[in-house]
Short mmCIF file of all heavy atoms in Angstrom, two decimals:
data_model
loop_
_atom_site.label_atom_id
_atom_site.label_comp_id
_atom_site.label_asym_id
_atom_site.label_seq_id
_atom_site.Cartn_x
_atom_site.Cartn_y
_atom_site.Cartn_z
N LYS A 1289 15.16 -7.63 13.28
CA LYS A 1289 14.95 -6.91 12.05
C LYS A 1289 16.07 -5.94 11.76
O LYS A 1289 16.41 -5.69 10.58
CB LYS A 1289 13.58 -6.23 12.09
CG LYS A 1289 12.42 -7.22 12.16
CD LYS A 1289 11.13 -6.55 12.22
CE LYS A 1289 9.96 -7.51 12.59
NZ LYS A 1289 9.73 -8.58 11.58
N ALA A 1304 13.13 -1.94 1.79
CA ALA A 1304 12.68 -0.54 2.16
C ALA A 1304 13.75 0.19 2.88
O ALA A 1304 14.49 -0.38 3.70
CB ALA A 1304 11.44 -0.66 3.00
N VAL A 1330 6.38 2.63 8.39
CA VAL A 1330 6.18 1.33 9.08
C VAL A 1330 7.11 1.28 10.35
O VAL A 1330 8.25 1.61 10.25
CB VAL A 1330 6.50 0.16 8.19
CG1 VAL A 1330 6.11 -1.12 8.84
CG2 VAL A 1330 5.81 0.24 6.84
N LYS A 1332 8.41 -0.94 13.57
CA LYS A 1332 8.57 -2.35 13.94
C LYS A 1332 9.33 -2.50 15.24
O LYS A 1332 10.35 -1.82 15.42
CB LYS A 1332 9.27 -3.18 12.86
CG LYS A 1332 8.56 -3.12 11.48
CD LYS A 1332 9.34 -3.99 10.46
CE LYS A 1332 8.58 -3.96 9.13
NZ LYS A 1332 9.12 -4.88 8.09
N GLY A 1339 4.44 -11.87 14.71
CA GLY A 1339 3.76 -11.04 13.70
C GLY A 1339 3.00 -9.89 14.29
O GLY A 1339 2.33 -9.20 13.53
N VAL A 1342 4.47 -5.16 14.10
CA VAL A 1342 4.58 -4.31 12.96
C VAL A 1342 3.35 -3.42 12.83
O VAL A 1342 2.23 -3.92 12.82
CB VAL A 1342 4.76 -5.18 11.66
CG1 VAL A 1342 4.79 -4.28 10.42
CG2 VAL A 1342 6.00 -6.02 11.73
N ILE A 1344 1.67 -0.13 10.48
CA ILE A 1344 1.75 0.79 9.39
C ILE A 1344 1.04 2.02 9.92
O ILE A 1344 -0.13 2.00 10.26
CB ILE A 1344 1.15 0.25 8.12
CG1 ILE A 1344 1.94 -0.99 7.68
CG2 ILE A 1344 1.02 1.28 7.02
CD1 ILE A 1344 1.50 -1.66 6.49
N GLU A 1374 10.53 2.11 8.86
CA GLU A 1374 10.82 1.81 7.43
C GLU A 1374 9.88 2.61 6.55
O GLU A 1374 8.76 2.97 6.91
CB GLU A 1374 10.53 0.33 7.11
CG GLU A 1374 11.45 -0.62 7.75
CD GLU A 1374 11.16 -2.10 7.41
OE1 GLU A 1374 10.42 -2.31 6.42
OE2 GLU A 1374 11.63 -2.95 8.07
N GLU A 1375 10.42 2.89 5.38
CA GLU A 1375 9.61 3.44 4.25
C GLU A 1375 8.52 2.40 3.96
O GLU A 1375 8.72 1.20 4.12
CB GLU A 1375 10.57 3.57 3.07
CG GLU A 1375 9.96 3.61 1.70
CD GLU A 1375 10.93 3.10 0.64
OE1 GLU A 1375 12.01 2.57 0.95
OE2 GLU A 1375 10.49 3.18 -0.50
N CYS A 1376 7.32 2.85 3.71
CA CYS A 1376 6.19 1.96 3.42
C CYS A 1376 6.15 1.61 1.92
O CYS A 1376 6.00 2.47 1.04
CB CYS A 1376 4.90 2.63 3.82
SG CYS A 1376 3.51 1.45 3.77
N MET A 1377 6.41 0.37 1.62
CA MET A 1377 6.43 -0.13 0.26
C MET A 1377 4.98 -0.38 -0.17
O MET A 1377 4.09 -0.74 0.57
CB MET A 1377 7.29 -1.36 0.11
CG MET A 1377 8.69 -1.16 0.57
SD MET A 1377 9.70 -2.67 0.28
CE MET A 1377 9.27 -3.71 1.57
N THR A 1378 4.76 -0.36 -1.54
CA THR A 1378 3.47 -0.81 -2.01
C THR A 1378 3.65 -1.88 -3.05
O THR A 1378 4.73 -1.96 -3.72
CB THR A 1378 2.71 0.33 -2.74
OG1 THR A 1378 3.58 0.87 -3.72
CG2 THR A 1378 2.28 1.40 -1.75
N GLU A 1381 2.40 -9.01 -2.15
CA GLU A 1381 3.41 -9.77 -1.44
C GLU A 1381 3.45 -11.18 -1.92
O GLU A 1381 2.46 -11.76 -2.33
CB GLU A 1381 3.11 -9.73 0.02
CG GLU A 1381 3.39 -8.39 0.68
CD GLU A 1381 3.12 -8.32 2.17
OE1 GLU A 1381 3.83 -9.00 2.92
OE2 GLU A 1381 2.25 -7.57 2.57
N LYS A 1403 -2.78 -13.19 5.20
CA LYS A 1403 -2.55 -12.89 6.66
C LYS A 1403 -3.71 -12.32 7.43
O LYS A 1403 -3.83 -12.48 8.63
CB LYS A 1403 -1.31 -11.95 6.78
CG LYS A 1403 -0.07 -12.65 6.53
CD LYS A 1403 1.19 -11.82 6.90
CE LYS A 1403 2.42 -12.66 6.64
NZ LYS A 1403 3.60 -11.96 6.26
N ASN A 1413 -4.58 -8.97 11.55
CA ASN A 1413 -3.52 -9.85 11.09
C ASN A 1413 -3.59 -11.14 11.87
O ASN A 1413 -3.95 -11.10 13.10
CB ASN A 1413 -2.17 -9.23 11.34
CG ASN A 1413 -1.53 -8.89 10.07
OD1 ASN A 1413 -1.78 -9.44 8.99
ND2 ASN A 1413 -0.62 -7.91 10.12
N MET A 1462 8.01 -7.98 -1.39
CA MET A 1462 6.98 -7.19 -1.97
C MET A 1462 7.31 -6.84 -3.44
O MET A 1462 8.48 -6.43 -3.75
CB MET A 1462 6.74 -5.87 -1.20
CG MET A 1462 5.56 -5.10 -1.69
SD MET A 1462 4.60 -4.17 -0.53
CE MET A 1462 4.59 -4.71 1.05
N VAL A 1471 10.62 -7.73 2.36
CA VAL A 1471 9.89 -7.22 3.51
C VAL A 1471 10.48 -7.73 4.80
O VAL A 1471 10.68 -7.02 5.80
CB VAL A 1471 8.38 -7.54 3.42
CG1 VAL A 1471 7.63 -7.02 4.62
CG2 VAL A 1471 7.76 -7.10 2.16
N GLU A 1472 10.75 -9.04 4.74
CA GLU A 1472 11.32 -9.62 5.98
C GLU A 1472 11.94 -11.01 5.57
O GLU A 1472 11.57 -11.58 4.48
CB GLU A 1472 10.29 -9.94 7.04
CG GLU A 1472 9.18 -10.80 6.55
CD GLU A 1472 8.33 -11.50 7.61
OE1 GLU A 1472 8.62 -11.34 8.81
OE2 GLU A 1472 7.34 -12.16 7.26
P1 AMP B 2406 6.87 -8.40 8.84
O1 AMP B 2406 6.53 -9.10 10.15
O2 AMP B 2406 8.10 -7.58 8.85
O3 AMP B 2406 6.75 -9.37 7.65
O4 AMP B 2406 5.64 -7.43 8.58
C1 AMP B 2406 4.35 -7.94 8.59
C2 AMP B 2406 3.54 -7.33 7.40
O5 AMP B 2406 3.58 -5.86 7.47
C3 AMP B 2406 4.09 -7.63 6.06
O6 AMP B 2406 3.71 -8.89 5.57
C4 AMP B 2406 3.61 -6.51 5.23
O7 AMP B 2406 2.28 -6.70 4.82
C5 AMP B 2406 3.69 -5.35 6.20
N1 AMP B 2406 4.98 -4.58 6.07
C6 AMP B 2406 6.10 -4.82 6.76
N2 AMP B 2406 7.09 -3.96 6.37
C7 AMP B 2406 6.55 -3.22 5.41
C8 AMP B 2406 7.03 -2.11 4.62
N3 AMP B 2406 8.28 -1.67 4.71
N4 AMP B 2406 6.21 -1.60 3.68
C9 AMP B 2406 4.87 -2.01 3.57
N5 AMP B 2406 4.41 -3.03 4.27
C10 AMP B 2406 5.17 -3.57 5.22
#
Side-chain angles (χ1 to χ4, degrees):
K1289 294 182 192 296
V1330 188
K1332 301 185 177 183
V1342 175
I1344 296 178
E1374 292 182 17
E1375 159 206 6
C1376 189
M1377 301 184 284
T1378 54
E1381 289 180 65
K1403 284 190 177 149
N1413 251 333
M1462 187 148 332
V1471 179
E1472 61 162 354

